[in-house]
Amino acid sequence: MNTQNSYLASKPHYEILDGLRGVAAVMVVIFHLFEAHAGGNHLEQIINHGYLAVDFFFMLSGFVIGYAYDDRWNRMSTVTFFKRRIIRLHPMVIVGSIVGAVFFFFQDTASSNTVTIDAGKDKVEVTLKDVNIDTSSRNNAAVSVTGSGNTTIKLNGDNALKSDIYRSGISSSGSLTISGGENDSLTAQGGSGANGISSSGSLTISGGTVTAKGGSGEDGEDGGDGIRSFDPVAISGGTVTAKGGSGEDGSGGRGIISTKSVTISGGTVNANGGSGKNGNGGNGIIGSGRVAISGGTVNAAGGDGGNGKDGGDGIYSSDIDLSGSLELTAKAGSPNGKALSQRGNELDLNTIKDKLGPGAKVTATDADGKVIDQVPIPRPVEPEKPVIPEESSSSSDGGSSTP
């Protein structure tokens, strides 16, 4: 009979330790689950001392190992002890490491941390390099710019910002400029009913690929605006896509809206109003004081209204100024929307012909995409240069080719 096995079998099993081990494991799990929702404040966290269960596991392991090996120390070397522990524990450690590595490399790398830029009254320049922030559960904007100064955000690589309910993807209290190269991008997604990019001061976009999406409205709220500013909005380059959020029980959000003016002088701009399921469709572009487009390619579409409500306008302003070699397509929302609404009336394109440059094209369509008005300005055709025959080398000196 094996005396060692007999001795081990005779040792009592403490079931209470198994119960305590289970309670501690559950505490650790709950601690980590609610940690992400506490906003970094452990005082607001459920079971905010759950991490102490890890200390309990260390104490429990010390007791269990000592209890299991107390009769073997005289017959077992240190090397044999560690060899047995490795054989017992490391297969699970290796499997867990592999599974964790797979999830790590293929996971969405979004961070829940917010970025706050304090401009004060100064000029501040900040670079966003491959930033991925998701604060959809933290009641904060992904990027907040405070102060009344002038802030420039330079894009480097691909950047994605997503914010919580009623919070904009980027929220600025001062003047904001966004710039970047051809391969640099920014996607700003507002939370439910919130704007993609919101600025209390002026907003300028001069380069990069910028996508601003308003969040869908819920519980009677209107959809958020793609880009919203209480001062002038100016776009001079890059590719800008602004989409208003849909209004689930309200009106659709606007693609681009400024309470003062919207100026587009270059780049590619796509502005789409959101649809309203039980409200009006959102307008593509609104400049309360003025909308001036002098260059670039612009597509502005009003969203469709729902439940008998009117669709949005492609462009709405008290003063629509179209000039230069622009290419503009404005589409009305359904029903009753206007493509180019100036002071509530459809803009007569014949009144702007003289201001358009060579190669310009302005098209107004209804909600079905049917052209209702169009002004193309062809580019001038350069006359062909006369072909002058080349003189033969034998006659270049006035001589004759015959002897």
Side-chain angles (χ1 to χ4, degrees), residues 241-257:
T241 300
K243 297 181 179 180
S246 62
E248 299 300 320
D249 296 312
S251 298
R254 286 66 61 97
I256 300 174
I257 177 173

Side-chain angles (χ1 to χ4, degrees), residues 108 110-116 128 131-145 159-172 186-198 211-216 218 224-226:
D108 180 3
S111 168
S112 61
N113 296 320
T114 61
V115 174
T116 300
L128 295 182
V131 172
N132 190 352
I133 299 176
D134 184 349
T135 61
S136 55
S137 62
R138 295 199 57 186
N139 197 30
N140 283 311
V143 173
S144 299
V145 182
N159 301 276
L161 309 173
K162 185 178 181 181
S163 295
D164 194 12
I165 181 171
Y166 307 137
R167 304 290 180 173
S168 300
I170 296 179
S171 177
S172 174
L186 168 67
T187 298
Q189 171 70 61
S192 176
N195 310 317
I197 298 175
S198 180
T211 301
K213 300 178 182 179
S216 298
E218 297 179 0
D225 302 323

Side-chain angles (χ1 to χ4, degrees), residues 14 57 61 81 85 101 116 122 130 147 167 178 187 214 220 235-236 301 314 317 327 340 342 347 364 366 379 391:
Y14 296 107
F57 272 116
S61 296
F81 170 76
R85 299 309 300 170
T116 300
D122 302 321
D130 295 321
R167 304 290 180 173
I178 300 175
T187 298
I235 299 173
S236 60
S317 180
E327 185 173 342
L340 295 166
Q342 180 172 266
L347 178 66
D366 62 14
R379 296 184 183 277
E391 298 180 352

Side-chain angles (χ1 to χ4, degrees), residues 27-57:
M27 289 180 63
V28 172
V29 171
I30 293 177
F31 175 80
H32 286 300
L33 284 176
F34 287 94
E35 187 177 23
H37 300 280
N41 186 355
H42 289 294
L43 295 178
E44 298 181 359
Q45 184 172 334
I46 298 176
I47 309 185
N48 57 1
H49 288 86
Y51 62 89
L52 293 177
V54 177
D55 298 336
F56 172 76
F57 272 116

Side-chain angles (χ1 to χ4, degrees), residues 246-271:
S246 62
E248 299 300 320
D249 296 312
S251 298
R254 286 66 61 97
I256 300 174
I257 177 173
S258 168
T259 57
K260 293 188 177 179
S261 65
V262 176
T263 302
I264 301 173
S265 58
T268 300
V269 178
N270 299 297

Side-chain angles (χ1 to χ4, degrees), residues 30-337:
I30 293 177
F31 175 80
H32 286 300
L33 284 176
F34 287 94
E35 187 177 23
H37 300 280
N41 186 355
H42 289 294
L43 295 178
E44 298 181 359
Q45 184 172 334
I46 298 176
I47 309 185
N48 57 1
H49 288 86
Y51 62 89
L52 293 177
V54 177
D55 298 336
F56 172 76
F57 272 116
F58 278 114
M59 296 172 58
L60 182 62
S61 296
F63 172 79
V64 171
I65 291 175
Y67 181 67
Y69 287 92
D70 63 350
D71 64 319
R72 308 185 197 179
W73 297 119
N74 295 330
R75 302 185 302 276
M76 180 187 301
S77 66
T78 303
V79 174
T80 302
F81 170 76
F82 281 107
K83 181 179 179 181
R84 291 191 176 190
R85 299 309 300 170
I86 290 174
I87 293 174
R88 179 179 177 86
L89 299 177
H90 272 59
M92 184 58 67
V93 172
I94 294 173
V95 171
S97 298
I98 293 174
V99 173
V102 170
F103 277 100
F104 175 78
F105 286 110
F106 291 98
Q107 70 177 336
D108 180 3
T109 55
S111 168
S112 61
N113 296 320
T114 61
V115 174
T116 300
I117 303 169
D118 186 4
K121 297 181 180 180
D122 302 321
K123 291 184 178 181
V124 177
E125 184 175 297
V126 177
T127 298
L128 295 182
K129 178 177 173 59
D130 295 321
V131 172
N132 190 352
I133 299 176
D134 184 349
T135 61
S136 55
S137 62
R138 295 199 57 186
N139 197 30
N140 283 311
V143 173
S144 299
V145 182
T146 61
S148 59
N150 299 320
T151 301
T152 297
I153 295 179
K154 286 192 172 184
L155 306 178
N156 188 342
D158 298 323
N159 301 276
L161 309 173
K162 185 178 181 181
S163 295
D164 194 12
I165 181 171
Y166 307 137
R167 304 290 180 173
S168 300
I170 296 179
S171 177
S172 174
S173 59
S175 297
L176 178 64
T177 298
I178 300 175
S179 65
E182 182 179 354
N183 298 320
D184 303 319
S185 68
L186 168 67
T187 298
Q189 171 70 61
S192 176
N195 310 317
I197 298 175
S198 180
S199 177
S200 297
S202 62
L203 175 62
T204 301
I205 300 177
S206 60
T209 299
V210 178
T211 301
K213 300 178 182 179
S216 298
E218 297 179 0
D219 299 327
E221 297 288 340
D222 295 339
D225 302 323
I227 293 175
R228 181 181 181 88
S229 176
F230 292 94
D231 266 343
V233 172
I235 299 173
S236 60
T239 299
V240 178
T241 300
K243 297 181 179 180
S246 62
E248 299 300 320
D249 296 312
S251 298
R254 286 66 61 97
I256 300 174
I257 177 173
S258 168
T259 57
K260 293 188 177 179
S261 65
V262 176
T263 302
I264 301 173
S265 58
T268 300
V269 178
N270 299 297
N272 299 304
S275 60
K277 291 187 177 181
N278 289 299
N280 297 323
N283 299 317
I285 298 175
I286 296 182
S288 297
R290 184 169 182 254
V291 172
I293 304 175
S294 60
T297 301
V298 180
N299 297 290
D304 294 335
N307 200 19
K309 302 293 185 179
D310 290 341
D313 301 328
I315 296 178
Y316 175 89
S317 180
S318 59
D319 180 16
I320 299 177
D321 182 7
L322 305 179
S323 63
S325 298
L326 78 159
E327 185 173 342
L328 167 65
T329 300
K331 181 181 179 182
S334 176
N336 304 324

